Amino acid sequence: MAPPPPVAAIHSPSSPQYTQQFLSNVLSQRGPSSLPYSEDVKWLIRQHLVSLIDTCPSLQPRTATFTYNDGRTVNLLQANGTVPMVYLDATYNIPVIIWLLESYPRQSPLVFVNPTRHMVVKDSHPFVNSSGIVSIPYLTNWVYPSSNLVELVSNLSHFFSRDPPLYTKRNPNPNPNPHPPPGTSFSNCGSTRPAIPPRVYPPSPYGSGSGGEVGRKTDRSEVDKKNAIDELIVKLHNDIEGLGKAREADMEGLFNAQGVLRRREEELRKGVKEMLDEKEGLEQQLQMVLMNTDVLEGWVRDNETTVKKIGNVDVDEAFELCDRLSKQMLDCTASDLAIEDVIYSLDKAIQDGAIPFDQYLRNVRLLSREQFIHRATASKVKAAQMQAQVSHMASRLSQYALS
């Protein structure tokens, strides 16, 4: 993982107040240009960076594009500058970049040493690899939320002082002089020395001297303009999203209403079909009733004179039975039903207390015996009728077969 090329700062490193305003602006942005940090830790990130600036002014925050090994890019915060260290009783400044990844501060930041073109990374350094990535125990043992950037820089300074990670390149003399001037010492000709970069700060985009104030005002207006545009974009995005949701809700309501109307249409069609079928059946029944009425009225007209001649007719003599078995079946059935009515009357009488219980039992026993005899007789008569009917049908079939 290699650090991206340095980018120009978008704030004034010489003004702590403006740096705090810059952090507040970039961490409060919303929409596509917002930084990919969790909302619940953005204030803590701001506090870490503000404390770092107060403790180590040589490190200044900025935003830049970070590129992962898979080619994915993301806009992140970084602290860019130098970390002081003491080596052989002299103070040197090691250029570093501290990247605050998306998972910060729950996970440790990513620290690079940023050598200039006159510097090289020391080979086989215990805490810095050849790509410039720093790995010290404080980063490995990072604990949220107690770990912070101030302690990280203090640890970086401590470990860099024990073993400086950068050295200056040895530039050969293009015009070697075989006779060095007097007083020149060759005791260090074969050795290298730690990098001693000057204590510099990142260049300011607002210029220097008398034009700095004008550049700062211009940049502030640009930042305000960008923030206003971002706010308008966010509001427009929210309005469009709200309108889209409202239209989706309206469409969903219309689709639901359409489904209800279709179901009701099917129910109405089914109901109309059922009513038409019922109407047709009623018309057929009406025709049958009218036909039967005509038949009965014709029979009454035909037999009206006969009824007048006969006069009063006995109900028992109104039906004439065709054979002896039918007369016996009628008698048994009438007796069975009559006994059933008598037993029912006895049940009501015993419930009302009209007869004694022993008399009730005696009468029910006698009637039940008699009812059983009538039912057994009716069963035998029915079997005889069935046999006679079968014999009659067999005789008719034999006649048909002979003819």
Side-chain angles (χ1 to χ4, degrees), residues 44 47-48 51-52 104-105 109 138 142-143 145-155:
L44 183 59
Q47 291 299 107
H48 283 189
S51 300
L52 177 64
Y104 184 84
Y138 189 81
W142 184 274
V143 178
S146 59
S147 300
N148 55 72
L149 297 178
V150 174
E151 294 181 0
L152 171 61
V153 170
S154 177
N155 279 265

Side-chain angles (χ1 to χ4, degrees), residues 28-194:
S28 61
Q29 287 180 354
R30 299 294 184 272
S33 61
S34 62
L35 296 177
Y37 301 108
S38 300
E39 293 295 332
D40 57 336
V41 297
K42 283 186 176 181
W43 179 256
L44 183 59
I45 294 174
R46 181 184 181 278
Q47 291 299 107
H48 283 189
L49 288 172
V50 170
S51 300
L52 177 64
I53 296 167
D54 294 338
T55 305
C56 186
S58 60
L59 289 169
Q60 291 295 322
R62 66 176 69 180
T63 57
T65 302
F66 184 83
T67 304
Y68 287 92
N69 291 336
D70 57 1
R72 182 169 57 93
T73 60
V74 61
N75 195 32
L76 298 175
L77 278 170
Q78 64 171 220
N80 196 324
T82 60
V83 172
M85 74 167 192
V86 178
Y87 184 74
L88 300 179
D89 297 329
T91 301
Y92 304 103
N93 296 301
I94 302 298
V96 297
I97 299 178
I98 302 175
W99 286 96
L100 307 186
L101 302 181
E102 298 100 315
S103 57
Y104 184 84
R106 292 185 172 87
Q107 294 183 8
S108 63
L110 187 61
V111 182
F112 288 91
V113 292
N114 188 24
T116 64
R117 60 180 180 177
H118 301 296
M119 301 178 186
V120 292
V121 178
K122 181 181 178 180
D123 293 335
S124 302
H125 194 275
F127 304 114
V128 181
N129 64 13
S130 58
S131 300
I133 300 177
V134 179
S135 176
I136 60 174
Y138 189 81
L139 291 172
T140 306
N141 302 322
W142 184 274
V143 178
Y144 171 79
S146 59
S147 300
N148 55 72
L149 297 178
V150 174
E151 294 181 0
L152 171 61
V153 170
S154 177
N155 279 265
L156 289 174
S157 178
H158 170 71
F159 285 102
F160 289 169
S161 298
R162 291 170 51 183
D163 191 356
L166 299 179
Y167 283 85
T168 56
K169 295 180 180 179
R170 294 183 57 190
N171 294 323
N173 191 354
N175 297 315
N177 188 359
H179 303 284
T184 304
S185 175
F186 294 92
S187 58
N188 294 327
C189 290
S191 62
T192 59
R193 54 190 301 269

Side-chain angles (χ1 to χ4, degrees), residues 16-30 35 42-43 45-47 49-50 61 77 223 227:
Q17 293 80 8
Y18 189 71
T19 302
Q20 294 179 14
Q21 181 182 357
F22 160 73
L23 291 174
S24 299
N25 289 337
V26 297
L27 289 173
S28 61
Q29 287 180 354
R30 299 294 184 272
L35 296 177
K42 283 186 176 181
W43 179 256
I45 294 174
R46 181 184 181 278
Q47 291 299 107
L49 288 172
V50 170
L77 278 170
V223 171
N227 291 337

Side-chain angles (χ1 to χ4, degrees), residues 319-353:
F319 298 95
E320 182 178 356
L321 301 177
C322 60
D323 56 4
R324 182 178 59 83
L325 291 177
S326 299
K327 184 176 184 304
Q328 189 176 4
M329 175 62 77
L330 181 62
D331 292 339
C332 291
T333 304
S335 299
D336 181 16
L337 297 176
I339 293 172
E340 189 71 27
D341 292 339
V342 173
I343 292 175
Y344 176 76
S345 299
L346 288 175
D347 290 339
K348 297 292 290 183
I350 192 63
Q351 291 177 3
D352 297 338

Side-chain angles (χ1 to χ4, degrees), residues 330-387:
L330 181 62
D331 292 339
C332 291
T333 304
S335 299
D336 181 16
L337 297 176
I339 293 172
E340 189 71 27
D341 292 339
V342 173
I343 292 175
Y344 176 76
S345 299
L346 288 175
D347 290 339
K348 297 292 290 183
I350 192 63
Q351 291 177 3
D352 297 338
I355 59 174
F357 185 70
D358 56 348
Q359 183 179 356
Y360 166 77
L361 291 178
R362 183 169 57 256
N363 291 332
V364 169
R365 184 168 57 252
L366 294 175
L367 291 172
S368 299
R369 184 182 299 112
E370 184 178 356
Q371 187 181 32
F372 174 76
I373 293 172
H374 288 301
R375 289 184 177 180
T377 304
S379 178
K380 291 181 179 180
V381 170
K382 186 175 181 180
Q385 286 180 336
M386 291 293 295
Q387 185 64 33

